[in-house]
Amino acid sequence: AQSVTQLGSHVSVSEGALVLLRCNYSSSVPPYLFWYVQYPNQGLQLLLKYTSAATLVKGINGFEAEFKKSETSFHLTKPSAHMSDAAEYFCAVSYRNEKLTFGTGTRLTIIP
Amino acid sequence: DTGVSQDPRHKITKRGQNVTFRCDPISEHNRLYWYRQTLGQGPEFLTYFQNEAQLEKSRLLSDRFSAERPKGSFSTLEIQRTEQGDSAMYLCASSNNNYGYTFGSGTRLTVV
């Protein structure tokens, strides 16, 4: 069975500081990994996805993530936080284009 | 491409009533998924269709829940005899064969 674990349900960073949101996966087969962002009372917007091509994946809004098989990790980073980055972030895993399995989410707060 | 549409955006119903939600996927996407999200949690998989065939149902989907996708186009999710525990955001997503999962804005159900 596939699963993802997001470490830290709440993360606070100062505006302009590095954003690091952690995600570890468990999968018995090569996973496909995703990061989504959710703003209040809205659906999920795809930030980026890893589908077995380059291990460093660049997404929208300056975010990127690196797939590390040895660490079973897919952490999300952004060099400089902006106030508009405040939202809920979800890591998800899929196998063979079937259902997504989500983590419990990390709420990102940006301190002015 | 107008994205994934869900209707209604909000629904308030009395306990014991039946409700039905609609999802219109991206037209060229052959897969359609339903998820449920409660406050502070990640989306939980309910069911998914490939074209008109319902391929998987979660154990979360009790007998009171039914989903259809006639003719492989739009989908409906019906909840019979609603309970307060059904209060949640119901999200629909569609995908093609390139791991391009696109989510709608969701239907927020409140059972009073």
Side-chain angles (χ1 to χ4, degrees):
Chain A
Q2 301 174 96
S3 65
V4 290
T5 301
Q6 292 185 242
L7 298 177
S9 58
H10 292 86
V11 171
S12 295
V13 301
S14 297
E15 189 175 15
L18 172 72
V19 175
L20 171 61
L21 304 183
R22 300 178 186 274
C23 174
N24 288 88
Y25 69 90
S26 172
S27 176
S28 57
V29 295
Y32 297 95
L33 294 158
F34 305 78
W35 275 100
Y36 283 86
V37 62
Q38 187 177 37
Y39 298 97
N41 295 314
Q42 293 189 25
L44 299 164
Q45 181 183 11
L46 179 68
L47 285 174
L48 48 80
K49 61 183 178 183
Y50 166 76
T51 56
S52 74
T55 56
L56 182 61
V57 182
K58 294 186 183 299
I60 63 171
N61 302 339
F63 285 94
E64 63 181 38
E66 186 173 8
F67 173 70
K68 292 186 176 181
K69 185 177 179 180
S70 61
E71 299 178 6
T72 62
S73 68
F74 190 59
H75 301 331
L76 182 71
T77 60
K78 181 174 181 178
S80 178
H82 192 273
M83 295 301 294
S84 62
D85 295 327
E88 188 92 19
Y89 292 80
F90 293 96
C91 182
V93 63
S94 174
Y95 169 62
R96 287 195 311 189
N97 202 26
E98 295 180 351
K99 64 186 179 188
L100 288 168
T101 301
F102 287 88
T104 52
T106 298
R107 181 172 300 278
L108 177 64
T109 299
I110 310 299
I111 303 167
Chain B
D1 179 357
T2 57
V4 177
S5 298
Q6 292 190 245
D7 183 68
R9 289 294 309 274
H10 303 274
K11 178 71 176 179
I12 300 174
T13 190
K14 292 183 178 179
R15 188 176 54 185
Q17 297 295 304
N18 299 344
V19 294
T20 299
F21 310 140
R22 178 180 171 121
C23 173
D24 287 273
I26 292 172
S27 58
E28 60 266 31
H29 285 183
N30 59 355
R31 291 190 171 97
L32 186 149
Y33 306 81
W34 285 100
Y35 288 83
R36 181 173 67 186
Q37 185 180 22
T38 53
L39 200 62
Q41 299 296 316
E44 297 174 298
F45 169 76
L46 293 178
T47 187
Y48 93 94
F49 295 82
Q50 180 163 312
N51 300 314
E52 66 274 12
Q54 189 172 18
L55 296 187
E56 186 175 350
K57 292 170 59 174
S58 165
R59 283 173 289 181
L60 291 175
L61 214 65
S62 74
D63 292 345
R64 298 185 297 104
F65 288 70
S66 63
E68 295 183 342
R69 193 184 182 194
K71 302 180 182 178
S73 57
F74 71 91
S75 176
T76 59
L77 178 68
E78 181 184 16
I79 309 174
Q80 296 182 327
R81 305 180 304 280
T82 52
E83 302 172 355
Q84 287 190 321
D86 297 330
S87 295
M89 174 79 88
Y90 290 84
L91 294 164
C92 176
S94 67
S95 74
N96 52 19
N97 296 324
N98 294 320
Y99 301 90
Y101 301 90
T102 302
F103 281 81
S105 298
T107 294
R108 180 166 296 283
L109 173 67
T110 303
V111 181
V112 298

